[in-house]
Every structure is written in C-alpha cells, then in structure tokens.
Amino acid sequence: MGLNILYCAALEGLEAKEVEAEISFTKALPAFQITGLAGNAIQESKQRVQSSLLANGFKFPPLKIVVNLSPSDLPKQGSFYDLPIALLIALHGHISEQDDKRTWFAFGEIGLDGRVKDTPAIYPLLFSLLSKDKNRQSFFLLPKSAENFYSKIPHLKAYYIDTLQEGIEVLKNPPILSQSYEDLPFLSEEILGEKYYFSTDFPLDFKDIIGQERAKRAAMIAACGFHNILFEGSAGSGKSMIASRIPYILPPLKGQEILEMASHTLQLSPFRVFRNPHNSATKAAILGSAVAQNVKPGEIALAHLGILFFDELPHFPKTILESLREPLQNHYFTISRLHAKITYPADFLFVGAMNPCPCGNLLSISKECRCNQKEINAYKNKISEPFWDRLDLFVQMQEGIQEKNIIASKQMQKQVLEAFKFQKRRGQDCFNARLEGEKLEEFCFLGNEVKETLELAIERFGISLRQKHKILCVARSIADLVQSKYIAKEHLLESLSFRKI
C-alpha cells in the first residue's frame, strides 16, 4: 500500500482545522475528481496539478483518480491545496506506510511548470496549527520563497521547496532536518527571563509637533498603560498628528505577540498595528462579518494588540459607536449569526479625535464659531454617556501656545519602556488599563490622604464606579512613569484632570 494521506488545513471561524487529503486510483473511465466541499479555487487546481505533473514527466494512468478532503462537511477554499494533491498523485505507490510513519502537512500553490508558490492564507493556518501541542511533532512542506517569514514560528519543523520535484524527493527520502527556530531580527530587552522586542526607528516623531505639551503628556500616559484616549480640538490643532505617532512609543511586544499580529498583517514588525478606518466604513467593515463558516475580521480584530483610531468620532454611525462598548470593556467581540458564532480577541488601545462643534471653531482663539447651542448639543450627543465612560483620558487641545521644550519620540519611548519594566518587575502581567479585582487593589493601593481626595472628588463630581476604576488605573500609570511604588496625591490629581466631568 502506498502513500495515501497528506494533511493540509482550513479555517473554521478563526481556528485552523486539520484537513486530511486522501487519494484512490480505481479501474474505471479515466477521470480526476476532488470531493469534500472543495471551493472553486480547489476545483481549478485540477488543471494546475495536471499541467505541473506532466511538465515533470509524470504519466497519468488510465484510471479514475479521486481526491477526498476530509472532513467532508467543512467548507474549503484556497489554492494552497495544490501541493498535497499533486504530491499524492505523484507518489502513490512509491512510499509505503512502513517507510515513513511521520505526519506530513503540505501547503503551496503549484505553477503550471511545477513551481511551488506562497499564498497569504498559509501563515495564519501555520500559526494556528502550531498553537496545538500535537502538531508540533509533525513535518511541513512549505514554499521556499517564504522561508525567512515562516522560520520565525517556534516549533515549526519544515522542509522548504522551490519545485514539485523537490517535494517528491523530500517525501521519498527525507533529509535530516537541522533547522532551528530563528530569533526575530529586532532590538530586544529581557525582563524576568522573557524577551520583549521594539524598534528605535521613528518614521513619525513627536518632535514635529510644536506645543500641545498637555496632549503629548496624555499620549505618553495612554501608551504606558494602554488607556483609551480622546482628543478634542479645532481643525489643524494636531489631533491626528499625535494619534499617528503613538504607535512608535507603545510598550514592547513579546515574540508571540509579533507572530500573532502577523496573522493579519502578513509581516513581522516590532511596531504595534495602527488601524484608521474612515467614518464612512460599514458596520461589517468595523466589527467583522460571518456567513456560514466564512469569517471576515473587521477593523477591531485587525487592531488587536495595537491602536484603533477613529478620526472625526461623532461622524461615525451611532450603531457602530455603541457596538464598540463591548470590545472596549471586555477586549473581545462575538459575532452571532444563524450558522456561526465566532468570538475573536479585540484588545486594542482606542484613540479618538473630534472637533468641539460642527464647524470646529468653538475653542479657537482666532476664528468665530458659527454654530448655535442646539447644533453643538446635537453634535456632542452623538456620543453616549456609556461610551464616554469607557474612555480613560480626555484632552482638549491648546491653541497659540508654542513651548520651546520640544520632546522627541525617543525620550517618550524610553520613559514608557522604563515604566513597562517597572510594571513587570512588581509582578504585573497586564497593562494598567486592564487591572481588575484583586490586582486593582494590590497595585493601586492608596494612602489615607489620597483616598480622602478621591472620595471628595467622587462626591463632588458624581463619579461612577467605572470612572473611579479608570481614574485609579491612569493614576497608576502616571506613578509608573516616575517609578513610584505608591500612587501619590499629585498622581491622582493629574489623573482626575484628564477626566471629562
């Protein structure tokens, strides 16, 4: 009995499910069939596979060839099924089960001349498969063109091939695999035995922004603790400039987090992602969609571990803003449809920007506002109180102030990195904005004087429990920036100054 089975994978929701490709040759009229809910791209692979095999000297036997992709009730799409199908046909009868009992996965699109090509769908499947221990003992055949990318995935035992013929030779006589996991080629800092990666390149630098010291201070606090932040100011005051520079001062990333982000971005980068959807984007584009098993992640999923920036916040549909309340609070989002219920992580730092009124001149010292009070109220009422409650920092931009003290991104990144190390060394495993329950009590301990100040503020301004929680978390980040073990009164007062009362 020859080689009858190779493995591939398909996405079911956001998780890779193993697909068993099996083949049979039977005496019947010559034919070539693929079964198992194979999509159009897989059905078209018959022509690619036939051409590539003929180009490599293979002669099709006068038999009926049936390739089944199991489980047969799982929909499958993608041209990366070409490689396992072609290998099964080429090697049928040449390798016995006694020769090789290893589990083999194969991914790759086949050119008409037998070249093996990479496709964007392969990396997310590999990353998901190798998150399970059982697949870490399997062997993979992958396109040589993507070796630099895939070799950064831990536990991946892969042979990289350029052509179908090379894949045939590897399966016939597998060479000794001497490769090992390659470290990520970025600057790193080791904290308590864990490596964290970052970059000292700043394509966009805070030193380009003249003035707005308070807004830049708030941006650094937000970066330190991953706090949601909203900038309000006149057009041209620098809201978008500050937002676009925050990604370069954010805390460093674990290697696993870089690999996780690459599932969406398809590139390895030490910078956290920055998603900036336009206010005309549809609800499905922002939140994601699910039709049967076909899941399309939205902007909130693509922003996971990074920044989601909404410019002109009140111009986004109210249904979208209200739907954001769940991921802003719980850091995940669930799509429920008739045939699918998918939950995906959405742990991002939300940054918003808005004008103070429809014409944008309410806070301007040089232009006159053209809006009446009714228009201003209608504009601001587009953002509900529950949504405001989920924002940690609120900043009104300044105008006409040109401070000479210009701070650069390099200095800000250094402060954030030192604060991040300070957090880790005290035993904290999450950002300050994510502190809850016992961890909040442990790391946000207040002395008697500070506690009295907070209670006075709660009584005077009618602060809710959620707002109190956020005030404490922001105060903790302010304290971290100066390496203070405890939250002092000045840290709490500064935190209160960034609340929208």
Side-chain angles (χ1 to χ4, degrees), residues 152 183-189 195-199 253 255 258-259 267-271:
K152 305 299 188 296
D183 196 11
L184 296 167
F186 310 123
L187 293 175
S188 63
E189 182 100 18
K195 266 191 176 183
Y196 294 86
Y197 298 87
F198 60 96
S199 174
L253 287 154
I258 291 177
L259 296 171
Q267 61 178 355
L268 299 172
S269 171
F271 297 119

Side-chain angles (χ1 to χ4, degrees), residues 65 100 129 143 178 183 192 221 226 255 262 311 326 331 360 377 431 484:
I65 303 172
D100 193 353
L129 284 171
S178 59
D183 196 11
L192 300 178
I221 295 169
F226 238 61
D311 201 1
E326 180 188 342
H331 316 302
N377 291 340
F431 290 115
S484 174

Side-chain angles (χ1 to χ4, degrees), residues 73-304:
D73 59 347
L74 175 66
K76 304 166 191 73
Q77 288 286 355
S79 58
F80 53 85
Y81 290 93
D82 291 3
L83 184 58
I85 292 171
L87 289 171
L88 282 174
I89 296 173
L91 289 168
H92 186 76
H94 289 83
I95 302 176
S96 69
E97 290 179 352
Q98 288 73 26
D99 293 335
D100 193 353
K101 296 183 178 180
R102 291 183 286 187
T103 301
W104 286 92
F105 283 83
F107 295 87
E109 181 181 318
I110 299 290
L112 298 182
D113 58 354
R115 288 178 296 119
V116 179
K117 306 174 186 178
D118 185 36
T119 73
I122 295 176
Y123 179 88
L125 291 169
L126 291 177
F127 184 78
S128 179
L129 284 171
L130 290 164
S131 64
K132 303 172 186 174
D133 290 338
K134 66 174 184 175
N135 293 323
R136 295 176 181 178
Q137 304 306 315
S138 303
F139 290 82
F140 292 76
L141 278 175
L142 300 171
K144 179 78 172 176
S145 59
E147 181 175 3
N148 287 337
F149 188 24
Y150 297 155
S151 60
K152 305 299 188 296
I153 305 176
H155 314 294
L156 177 62
K157 299 178 180 179
Y159 294 92
Y160 297 97
I161 57 176
D162 274 322
T163 65
L164 176 60
Q165 187 59 44
E166 289 180 18
I168 293 170
E169 296 302 323
V170 167
L171 288 178
K172 281 184 176 179
N173 186 23
I176 296 174
L177 196 61
S178 59
Q179 72 182 76
S180 59
Y181 164 66
E182 293 184 16
D183 196 11
L184 296 167
F186 310 123
L187 293 175
S188 63
E189 182 100 18
E190 191 166 310
I191 307 171
L192 300 178
E194 179 87 57
K195 266 191 176 183
Y196 294 86
Y197 298 87
F198 60 96
S199 174
T200 53
D201 295 330
F202 302 101
L204 298 173
D205 201 308
F206 273 96
K207 69 182 179 183
D208 301 331
I209 302 171
I210 300 174
Q212 303 297 353
E213 298 304 308
R214 178 170 168 78
K216 288 188 278 189
R217 169 71 174 171
M220 185 164 63
I221 295 169
C224 173
F226 238 61
H227 301 288
N228 301 322
I229 185 170
L230 176 63
F231 298 99
E232 181 185 68
S234 304
S237 58
K239 306 184 294 292
S240 299
M241 286 184 70
I242 290 177
S244 61
R245 283 156 175 75
I246 295 177
Y248 305 107
I249 65 167
L250 287 174
L253 287 154
K254 292 181 183 179
Q256 187 72 7
E257 291 173 331
I258 291 177
L259 296 171
E260 186 177 352
M261 286 196 311
S263 293
H264 296 311
T265 63
L266 298 180
Q267 61 178 355
L268 299 172
S269 171
F271 297 119
R272 293 178 183 268
V273 292
F274 181 81
R275 305 294 302 188
N276 180 20
H278 191 262
N279 55 58
S280 63
T282 64
K283 190 174 181 179
I286 300 293
L287 304 178
S289 63
V291 179
Q293 298 297 330
N294 186 20
V295 176
K296 299 290 185 184
E299 291 290 336
I300 63 174
L302 299 176
H304 179 56

